[in-house]
Amino acid sequence: MKIDSFEIPVHLKQLITPNQAFHYRIIPFLKEKDTVQFKTDSNNINELAKELAIILNQQIVLIPETTENIQSYLSLNYRKTTSSNQKLHYEDNFLQKLISTAKDFGSSDIHMEPYEKFCRVRLRLDGKLKEQYTISNKEYPQLVNQIKIQSGLDISQKRLAQDGRITFKNGAEEFDIRVSTMPTLHGEKIVLRLLSRDTQDIQLEDLGFTDKELELYREATKKPQGIILISGPTGSGKTTTLYGTLKELNKEVSNILTIEDPIEYTLEGINQVQLREDIEFDFPAALRAFLRQDPDIIMVGEIRDDKTANMAIKAALTGHLVLSTIHTNSAWATISRLIDMKVPSFLLASTLTMSIAQRLVRKLCVHCKKEKKSEKKDFPLGFDIPEGLENHYVPMGCNHCYQTGYLGRKAIYELLPITKELETAIRHNELQIDDYIATQNIDTLQSNAIRLVREGVTSVEEVYALLANN
């Protein structure tokens, strides 16, 4: 059977919870009025049918299936959670159970999207969206109002985008959720970003730095002044790298201040400030206030505009270590971006310590990856097969990786320490440094991507965009 043949339609999948599916080893196959047909590998079909009829309040028909196929259905469509075996009814506090389920799955975002005939709920897992539930159009407005009330938003305002925040509590578990609403053709689309407060597992050694890169990076963070910038698209792990850095720099002798939007992790011993643009407390205003707070280290969540860029440079110039993120495609492109933001090149040259580009790639499942011969068609148009890459691994899908072929993610980096040569180049606006990068043996995003493919850590398709950006 192909992986696609194990897909269960969402309207059937949500008839039972993941725990029920795994516990009873049942797969919803067909629903007609008050009767539901399940596939199962159980040896005691009659007793199981009676028990399910009581639990689900439906007439049950069970169809025998092989254990191998049942396991494939389960691993592709359901993930085990630590929540109870309660069915996920909308009317029975759907929102709380949805958030708990997403947290158990390790999801970073919940997307709620209204359409003409129904509303779908998708979870972002390992960077990819996957549909989990559908909600009727009659029930969706009530869910939207419930979210708005909890996040302090205006329930009467349906024509403008709004942003809010929820502190979610479920027993001993507590974390924050960033709420974003946006009007669409058939109603308001809502995205919930789950923000973890736990930084215990964030270690720089585990993020994806090579030994050489980690040594260079730590050397840069030990300098008492200057600015370190991490670039990359949304969801590339920039903030996680910054928090890992702050954890290492968090000493009793240092005064560390951060301005963030939103505060994604809570770090004890660090003074974290939430951006409040509604009262004009933005990045530039916060930086001006920070400079009067006798800081040693400043973390700016993101450099978004000219004012923030120039204030960050000013803070680095006056004897502070500044860490921040910016949206560019490469470490060197950050230089051009800052010059476009009207940062004087001579100031940039004297303050920038290191520029870093970062991406996240999914790791191949070690249980099912398969080696194949490299062919020209596997790579982007005009891209030659790299030396030593006669074979590479491809994802297959198994019960360990939920039939996706991937398990977990890893960051890849491009580190560019600002040397005397680069400082001179920046000062004179000489922004073509391809020869310099080649002579200095600097590992680029592309070369690190090829290395991970060669090592069998990831696949060509996962780094295709990086290879195409040649």
Side-chain angles (χ1 to χ4, degrees):
M1 271 191 177
K2 294 182 179 179
I3 290 176
D4 292 347
S5 63
F6 293 115
E7 278 280 2
I8 306 172
V10 173
H11 72 279
L12 291 175
K13 184 164 60 176
Q14 67 186 44
L15 291 173
I16 56 174
T17 66
N19 284 348
Q20 288 171 335
F22 278 97
H23 179 73
Y24 295 108
R25 297 190 65 78
I26 53 175
I27 302 298
F29 177 65
L30 182 67
K31 187 179 191 309
E32 295 177 330
K33 295 183 180 180
D34 294 330
T35 301
V36 183
Q37 293 184 26
F38 290 96
K39 294 181 179 181
T40 183
D41 61 354
S42 172
N43 294 322
N44 198 350
I45 284 182
N46 292 333
E47 290 300 318
L48 178 58
K50 292 177 184 178
E51 186 174 346
L52 290 174
I54 295 171
I55 293 172
L56 301 178
N57 194 27
Q58 302 271 352
Q59 294 183 38
I60 303 298
V61 175
L62 296 179
I63 301 169
E65 181 59 274
T66 65
T67 297
E68 182 182 0
N69 283 351
I70 288 293
Q71 193 60 45
S72 295
Y73 276 116
L74 290 172
S75 62
L76 177 60
N77 295 279
Y78 295 104
R79 295 196 180 199
K80 287 185 178 179
T81 71
T82 56
S83 56
S84 66
N85 266 356
Q86 298 290 319
K87 189 176 178 182
L88 196 63
H89 285 299
Y90 167 79
E91 60 272 14
D92 188 22
N93 203 345
F94 177 86
L95 179 61
Q96 182 165 2
K97 291 182 179 178
L98 172 62
I99 293 171
S100 294
T101 299
K103 186 69 173 177
D104 285 337
F105 284 178
S107 172
S108 60
D109 300 87
I110 303 171
H111 288 243
M112 303 179 187
E113 303 159 317
Y115 296 98
E116 184 177 2
K117 297 180 179 179
F118 69 98
C119 303
R120 71 174 177 179
V121 178
R122 295 189 292 173
L123 304 183
R124 189 174 292 281
L125 303 164
D126 284 339
K128 303 292 182 182
L129 285 170
K130 184 173 179 62
E131 188 173 348
Q132 293 291 327
Y133 308 107
T134 58
I135 307 171
S136 73
N137 282 342
K138 290 182 180 179
E139 296 170 328
Y140 186 64
Q142 187 179 341
L143 178 62
V144 171
N145 287 341
Q146 186 181 356
I147 293 170
K148 283 185 169 183
I149 290 169
Q150 290 194 27
S151 56
L153 302 181
D154 184 356
I155 62 172
S156 65
Q157 181 55 266
K158 304 178 188 299
R159 296 178 299 172
L160 294 175
Q162 298 186 71
D163 295 305
R165 196 179 183 94
I166 296 173
T167 297
F168 181 80
K169 296 180 180 179
N170 186 19
E173 188 177 41
E174 182 175 335
F175 56 91
D176 294 326
I177 301 169
R178 185 175 67 184
V179 180
S180 173
T181 72
M182 183 180 68
T184 66
L185 179 62
H186 298 292
E188 292 179 276
K189 170 178 164 61
I190 293 181
V191 176
L192 307 180
R193 166 65 63 88
L194 279 56
L195 306 173
S196 174
R197 292 184 172 184
D198 184 17
T199 58
Q200 185 175 353
D201 295 332
I202 302 178
Q203 305 291 339
L204 288 181
E205 293 90 344
D206 302 330
L207 297 183
F209 287 105
T210 64
D211 292 341
K212 172 189 169 186
E213 289 170 343
L214 188 56
E215 184 180 357
L216 286 171
Y217 183 60
R218 281 181 167 148
E219 191 65 28
T221 62
K222 289 176 183 176
K223 295 184 178 179
Q225 64 188 59
I227 183 166
I228 297 173
L229 292 175
I230 303 177
S231 67
T234 302
S236 58
K238 303 185 298 294
T239 304
T240 302
T241 300
L242 282 182
Y243 276 111
T245 308
L246 291 178
K247 271 188 70 177
E248 288 201 356
L249 298 175
N250 187 11
K251 310 291 184 185
E252 183 183 350
V253 295
S254 297
N255 178 23
I256 302 177
L257 298 170
T258 76
I259 173 69
E260 306 170 59
D261 182 30
I263 297 173
E264 296 194 25
Y265 300 91
T266 302
L267 289 166
E268 189 174 343
I270 291 177
N271 304 286
Q272 296 174 267
V273 178
Q274 172 68 45
L275 196 72
R276 289 288 304 276
E277 290 185 331
D278 55 328
I279 57 173
E280 298 185 357
F281 189 66
D282 53 12
F283 283 124
L287 277 168
R288 282 192 291 271
F290 279 9
L291 293 178
R292 296 190 290 270
Q293 288 283 318
D294 185 32
D296 297 295
I297 300 166
I298 296 172
M299 193 269 267
V300 181
E302 182 184 344
I303 292 181
R304 297 176 178 171
D305 52 37
D306 300 7
K307 287 184 179 179
T308 309
N310 280 284
M311 281 300 300
I313 293 294
K314 180 181 177 182
L317 197 63
T318 52
H320 307 93
L321 177 62
V322 178
L323 308 171
S324 190
T325 69
I326 191 169
H327 287 281
T328 59
N329 290 327
S330 68
W332 187 244
T334 297
I335 314 297
S336 304
R337 180 81 178 102
L338 289 170
I339 291 174
D340 289 342
M341 286 180 165
K342 300 182 175 62
V343 175
S345 55
F346 70 93
L347 286 182
L348 185 58
S350 57
T351 54
L352 187 62
T353 302
M354 177 175 282
S355 180
I356 302 166
Q358 177 173 348
R359 298 290 189 278
L360 280 179
V361 297
R362 290 183 296 168
K363 296 191 292 184
L364 285 165
C365 174
V366 296
H367 301 283
C368 66
K369 65 181 181 180
K370 183 179 179 181
E371 193 171 11
K372 75 178 286 284
K373 184 176 177 60
S374 296
E375 300 178 66
K376 192 82 171 175
K377 65 181 182 180
D378 298 329
F379 297 86
L381 192 64
F383 189 90
D384 295 327
I385 298 175
E387 185 179 345
L389 201 61
E390 290 78 16
N391 299 301
H392 66 276
Y393 287 89
V394 295
M396 298 302 294
C398 68
N399 296 331
H400 294 280
C401 60
Y402 310 105
Q403 301 295 333
T404 63
Y406 297 95
L407 203 56
R409 291 192 291 176
K410 184 184 186 74
I412 55 174
Y413 295 91
E414 177 179 300
L415 269 65
L416 192 63
I418 306 303
T419 60
K420 291 293 183 183
E421 295 95 322
L422 290 183
E423 186 178 326
T424 301
I426 295 169
R427 198 180 297 273
H428 293 96
N429 278 343
E430 297 170 357
L431 302 183
Q432 296 299 322
I433 62 159
D434 292 346
D435 292 341
Y436 174 84
I437 289 176
T439 57
Q440 296 296 312
N441 293 322
I442 292 173
D443 293 324
T444 63
L445 287 172
Q446 192 178 91
S447 64
N448 273 326
I450 293 169
R451 174 179 57 81
L452 291 185
V453 172
R454 187 179 286 118
E455 292 173 355
V457 175
T458 193
S459 65
V460 172
E461 69 171 5
E462 184 66 10
V463 298
Y464 193 93
L466 285 174
L467 301 183
N469 188 24
N470 192 9

